[in-house]
């Protein structure tokens, strides 16, 4: 794969193809019919990835992923609703923070960062509190790379007659999610993750019936997905200035996604990247934080070497000088660093990145791994 230096092994922004970057060399007017067709085509293709065309609307939103998560909660949870937030990492904590800031009633269930939330946990929690209206879940918790068992949890929530909001930011496009089998009110993702676009827009797949009943829920003008959708459905245009170049890049990235073979092929490449990464790092003695059974092929958390000569900042700078950008750890109890498996990279780049890591550890004389 040909990429421009440096190679980002991060969970987004991530390495994009030259073709995707090239698509940003055109300026688009927001009133231009061709641009509006581009947006419509994008939404249609995004919905198709989750088989959601009949049941959901795709509502795009300017901003980073968190903007879309906040907009989804603000729009789809009524002001008298109550959210059960399932937490096993930093992004789950952020969901709770959003509920707090928006003034939505919520409770939390927190498990360890290396423990998936289970359907049995959710069943017990819903039995214990009938005032809960919505459950919010992170699919792949990017702070570690852990995968939560979405289909099982979704079935329990549906059985209880409650509504599900899924933050699938780092999994959508690579891990299968089928709206015909996994009932959800909202699934949220963004342009610069597994679809390999550039950052700048999020999108929410909102259940048609939930969205139809969401008028006036939102605390915010700009983040109101009901208004955003209604305006777009009526005019074909974004309500406020669209991220034109981001839309064009994502459209181009989706063409490549489909040429590659869609979700199964994307999943295969990332799973293979992840396997190469784990195997090559283990040859250096670097251990992953999660067992393989709960590791999503998205990002891997590694224990940092114990040697006092190891400092993340220096390690990061030296690996960067060799052309690879790693990611800091996000755990409070254990010192770690992370390496992404996603983006326009394949096994050859993963191997080369680990070779760079090995050279750097030798240069730093880090022995105690
Ligand atoms: C699971 C998850 N949720 C939310 C976000 C927040 O996205 P952003 O940093 O684009 O606001 C991220 C970012 O990586 C994420 O991985």
């Amino acid at each position: 794969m040909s990429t421009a230096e440096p190679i980002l092994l991060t969970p987004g922004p991530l390495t994009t193809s030259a073709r995707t970057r090239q698509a940003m060399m055109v300026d688009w007017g927001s009133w231009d019919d061709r641009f509006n067709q581009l947006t419509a085509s994008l939404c249609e293709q995004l919905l198709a990835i989750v088989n959601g065309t009949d049941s959901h609307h795709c509502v795009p939103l300017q901003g980073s992923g968190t903007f879309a998560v906040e907009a989804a909660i603000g729009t789809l949870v009524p002001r008298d609703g109550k959210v059960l937030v399932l937490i096993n990492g930093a992004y789950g904590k952020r969901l709770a923070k959003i509920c707090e800031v928006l003034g939505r009633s919520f409770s939390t269930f927190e498990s360890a960062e290396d423990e998936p939330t289970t359907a049995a946990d959710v069943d017990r929690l819903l039995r214990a509190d009938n005032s809960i209206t919505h459950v919010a879940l992170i699919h792949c918790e990017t702070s570690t790379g852990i995968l939560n068992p979405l289909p099982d949890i979704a079935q329990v929530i549906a059985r209880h007659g409650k509504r599900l909001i899924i933050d699938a930011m780092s999994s959508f496009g690579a891990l299968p999610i089928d709206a015909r089998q996994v009932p959800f009110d909202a699934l949220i993702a963004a342009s610069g993750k597994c679809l390999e676009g550039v950052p700048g827009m999020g999108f929410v797949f909102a259940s048609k019936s939930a969205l139809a009943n969401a008028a006036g829920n939102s605390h915010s003008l700009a983040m109101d997905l009901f208004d955003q959708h209604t305006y777009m459905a009526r005019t074909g245009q974004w309500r406020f200035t669209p991220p034109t170049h981001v839309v064009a890049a994502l459209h181009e990235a989706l063409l490549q996604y489909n040429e590659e073979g869609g979700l199964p092929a994307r999943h295969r490449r990332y799973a293979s990247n992840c396997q190469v990464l784990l195997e090559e790092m283990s040859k250096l003695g670097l251990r992953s934080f999660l067992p393989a059974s709960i590791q999503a092929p998205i990002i891997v958390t590694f224990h940092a070497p114990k040697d006092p000569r190891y400092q993340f900042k220096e390690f990061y700078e030296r690996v960067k000088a060799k052309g690879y950008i790693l990611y800091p750890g996000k755990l409070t109890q254990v010192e770690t660093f992370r390496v992404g498996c996603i983006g326009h990279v394949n096994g050859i780049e993963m191997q080369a990145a680990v070779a760079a890591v090995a050279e750097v550890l030798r240069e730093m004389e880090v022995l105690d791994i």
Side-chain angles (χ1 to χ4, degrees):
M1 287 187 173
S2 64
T3 49
E5 295 283 352
I7 288 176
L8 274 65
L9 297 175
T10 58
L14 37 65
T15 306
T16 55
S17 73
R19 221 174 115 182
T20 296
R21 292 192 299 275
Q22 187 64 31
M24 290 185 288
M25 299 301 280
V26 176
D27 296 321
W28 298 82
S30 59
W31 278 70
D32 191 306
D33 272 349
R34 278 175 51 241
F35 177 71
N36 295 330
Q37 282 160 18
L38 206 62
T39 303
S41 152
L42 194 63
C43 288
E44 214 172 282
Q45 292 182 66
L46 292 173
L47 268 175
I49 295 173
V50 290
N51 292 321
T53 309
D54 295 337
S55 51
H56 291 74
H57 292 300
C58 171
V59 191
L61 185 72
Q62 300 90 331
S64 85
T66 306
F67 289 57
V69 178
E70 185 166 328
I73 292 176
T75 305
L76 295 169
V77 178
R79 295 191 189 200
D80 61 355
K82 179 171 180 184
V83 187
L84 167 62
V85 182
L86 305 174
I87 301 175
N88 49 4
Y91 292 105
K93 287 187 181 147
R94 190 176 296 176
L95 288 175
K97 182 76 186 167
I98 289 171
C99 292
E100 185 189 329
V101 169
L102 298 187
R104 293 296 187 278
S105 177
F106 69 100
S107 58
T108 57
F109 174 72
E110 188 162 354
S111 43
E113 285 167 311
D114 56 355
E115 258 179 51
T117 311
T118 67
D121 290 329
V122 179
D123 188 37
R124 180 170 36 79
L125 293 158
L126 291 178
R127 277 178 205 283
D129 184 355
N130 197 36
S131 68
I132 291 165
T133 55
H134 292 69
V135 179
L137 168 75
I138 308 285
H139 186 203
C140 167
E141 177 46 85
T142 324
S143 53
T144 54
I146 194 171
L147 184 64
N148 285 308
L150 170 63
D152 295 351
I153 291 175
Q155 291 313 321
V156 167
I157 294 168
R159 232 179 24 244
H160 282 270
K162 310 296 182 184
R163 296 162 174 281
L164 172 60
I165 294 175
I166 310 162
D167 174 343
M169 203 69 66
S170 62
S171 58
F172 171 72
L175 303 185
I177 303 169
D178 189 336
R180 294 173 306 191
Q181 281 153 22
V182 172
F184 58 83
D185 265 21
L187 182 145
I188 308 132
S191 50
K193 307 284 182 191
C194 298
L195 297 176
E196 301 181 3
V198 301
M201 63 172 273
F203 44 90
V204 179
F205 301 136
S207 134
K208 288 182 179 173
S209 58
L211 195 61
N213 290 316
N217 280 347
S218 180
H219 57 292
S220 158
L221 174 73
M223 311 263 272
D224 185 339
L225 296 181
F226 177 85
D227 275 359
Q228 179 88 333
H229 171 71
T230 308
Y231 185 87
M232 202 172 260
R234 185 160 49 81
T235 64
Q237 294 172 13
W238 291 62
R239 209 172 28 141
F240 306 128
T241 303
T244 42
H245 296 71
V246 178
V247 172
L250 184 55
H251 193 268
E252 191 62 38
L254 270 174
L255 291 176
Q256 294 158 79
Y257 180 77
N258 291 324
E259 286 164 17
E260 186 179 354
L263 190 143
R266 189 63 48 102
H267 185 192
R268 259 197 314 278
R269 176 158 58 83
Y270 290 173
S272 154
N273 286 351
C274 186
Q275 197 175 341
V276 169
L277 177 66
L278 286 166
E279 282 172 12
E280 296 298 311
M281 292 291 255
S282 83
K283 286 182 196 163
L284 305 182
L286 288 162
R287 289 179 304 119
S288 64
F289 172 72
L290 295 174
S293 56
I294 53 172
Q295 170 72 64
I298 302 295
I299 189 165
V300 179
T301 298
F302 290 97
H303 287 280
K306 291 186 274 303
D307 196 310
R309 281 166 289 208
Y310 171 86
Q311 300 292 338
F312 177 73
K313 187 81 179 103
E314 185 188 348
F315 174 64
Y316 170 88
E317 291 297 344
R318 284 176 177 267
V319 175
K320 179 178 159 190
K322 295 183 188 298
Y324 301 92
I325 305 273
L326 306 180
Y327 214 53
K330 214 175 168 91
L331 302 182
T332 43
Q333 306 294 325
V334 203
E335 197 186 347
T336 56
F337 66 91
R338 288 176 290 169
V339 185
C341 317
I342 63 179
H344 187 68
V345 290
N346 62 23
I348 293 169
E349 274 112 14
M350 300 311 286
Q351 254 170 344
V354 181
V357 165
E359 272 176 40
V360 165
L361 292 176
R362 270 198 299 277
E363 286 164 16
M364 290 171 73
E365 298 182 1
V366 169
L367 304 172
D368 186 7
I369 294 181

